[in-house]
Amino acid sequence: MTKVQQLAEFVVRASFSDLSADAVRELKIRALDSLGCALGALRGEPIIPIRRYLDRVGGNGLCTLVGGGRTAPDRAAFYNGALVRFLDFNDSYLAKGETCHPSDNLSAVLAASEYAGATGRDFLLALAVAYQVQCRLSDEAPVRAKGFDHTTQGAYAAAAGVAKALRLDVENTAHAIAISGTAYNALRVTRTGKLSHWKGLAYPNTAFGATHAAFLALQGITGPLEVFEGNKGFMESIAGIFEIDWSREDLERVTRTILKKYNAEIHSQSSIECLLELQRETGFHAKDVRQITVDIFDVAYNIIGGGEEGSKVHVETKEDADHSLPYILAAALLDGQVMPPQYEVERIRRADVQELLQKVVVRVDPDFSAAFPGAMPSRISAYLDDGRILRKEKRDYPGFVTSPLSWKAVIEKFDQLAAPHADGALRGEIISAVDRLERARVTDLIQLLEKARI
C-alpha cells in the first residue's frame, strides 16, 4: 500500500466512538469559536466582492452560505472558509516547525456534510479527522522553512475531512487526498513581506480545491497514489522523508489546539496579555513610553517581529497590522484591547499608533525559543521617560493549551463577534445547536446560520 492509501484507511476506519468526551467537547468549542469568527466577518473588506462574484457566477445551490444564499459545495467551502479566516481570530496548532489553523477545515467539512445529509456526529467526526491529519503532518512534515505555506498540509487534511463527510470508500478517499495534495502546494510568500488579502484567502482556496478533488473522486476520477513517496512527490520535492503510522493514530489532536483571546496573530497572544497586565498593575500610559522591548521566541520574531519574513514597522492595512507585533502591542497599549475595531483603516493609520509602534523593539531570547511550542514565553520591558523600567514575563495566556478557554468564555467571544449580524435569540439558538450537535443533524445548525444579517 502507498502512504496515501494507508492514510485513506485511517480516514475510513475512524468512528465517532473513537472520540473521547474531551475531544467532542473541544470540537464543539472550536466550531462555535469559528462560527463567531465567520459571523463577525460578514462585512469584511474582501468578503463583499467575493459574495458579489458568487452571486454573479452562481452554482448549483446544493449548499448554504452563512448569511443566506446557496451555491455549489466547493464554492460554499470557499466563501464560508473566507468568513472563518478573515478576522484571523480562529484557532491554531503549534508544531516546532509549523503553525496552522485547523478550523480552516470547517467550511469544507460543513459543505460536504450538508450535501451528504450528515448527522452532527458525522460532521464532528469528519472535522476531527481533518484536525488530526493537518496537525500530524504539521508535526512530522513542516514546510515553512522550505518556502511553502501551511495550507500545503491543509490540502491533505481538508480532502480527508470532506471524503469522510461524503462517506467515500478507501479507494476514492485515497484518490481525493492524492488529487488535492498534488495540486495545492502553496508558496509562503502568502505571509511574507507586504501582505495582501490572499493571507486570509489562501486556505479557503485550499478548502475549495480539496472539496472539488473529493467530488471528482466520488465520480471515479483518480489521482497519483504515490503523492507522498513517489518520484518528485511531496517528500522528494518539499518535505523530506517522514513517517506517520496511520494505523496507530487517534483523533485527539484537537485537544492540543489553542484558541485566541485577542484578535491578533497567534504568536502574539502571550505578549499582549503580558503588556496589558503590566499596564494594569503599574498604571503607566502610552504617552510615558520611551521604548518597549519584547523578548520572545524565534518563531514569533521571524513571523511577526521583523525577522526573516519581513519588516513589521510599515503598517497600512488590516493584513499588515494583524501580523505586526509592534502594531499589535501599540494598539493594545493605547486602546486596552485588540479586537476587530483595532484593524479598521482609520485606526491603523492614526498618528498615535503609528508613532508608538516605532518604539517597539523585538528580540529573540534563545531560552524562549527552546521552550516553544510547549510554552509561548514573552518578556515585556517598558522604558519610561521618567527613567523607570517596568518588566513582566508570561509563558502562556488564556486560550493556550495550559490554560484552555471554557465553553462560557467562548460563548462570550461568540456573542461579541456575532452581535452585529445576529440578534440575541438567534445567537442563543446557534449556541444551542452547536452544543447538541452530536444529537442533531447538520442542517439544524446550517438553517440558523443562513438567517444571519449581512
Side-chain angles (χ1 to χ4, degrees), residues 277-309:
E277 284 187 6
L278 181 63
Q279 185 183 38
R280 286 194 296 269
E281 291 165 3
T282 64
F284 81 99
H285 299 286
K287 61 181 177 59
D288 305 324
V289 170
R290 178 166 52 85
Q291 180 175 295
I292 293 175
T293 299
V294 188
D295 293 297
I296 203 162
F297 48 98
D298 54 358
V299 172
Y301 174 73
N302 285 330
I303 295 175
I304 58 174
E308 65 183 28
E309 297 199 349

Side-chain angles (χ1 to χ4, degrees), residues 5 25 99 119 128 203 260 279 310 320 374 390 392 416 419 425:
Q5 288 171 317
R25 182 188 65 248
T99 299
T119 66
Y203 207 109
K260 292 183 178 182
Q279 185 183 38
D320 292 332
L390 308 175
K392 189 173 182 67
Q416 185 174 3

Side-chain angles (χ1 to χ4, degrees), residues 10 18 21-22 27 115-116 119 140 164 182 210 232 235 242 249 255 264 269 275 290 320 333 352 354 356 380 414:
F10 162 75
D18 298 332
D22 285 348
L27 284 165
Y115 174 87
T119 66
E140 304 299 334
K164 185 65 175 177
T182 301
K232 297 180 174 60
M235 288 184 175
F242 67 92
E249 286 294 316
T255 65
Q269 300 290 308
L275 178 62
R290 178 166 52 85
D320 292 332
L333 187 57
D352 60 349
Q354 288 289 333
L356 185 57
I380 300 288
F414 173 85

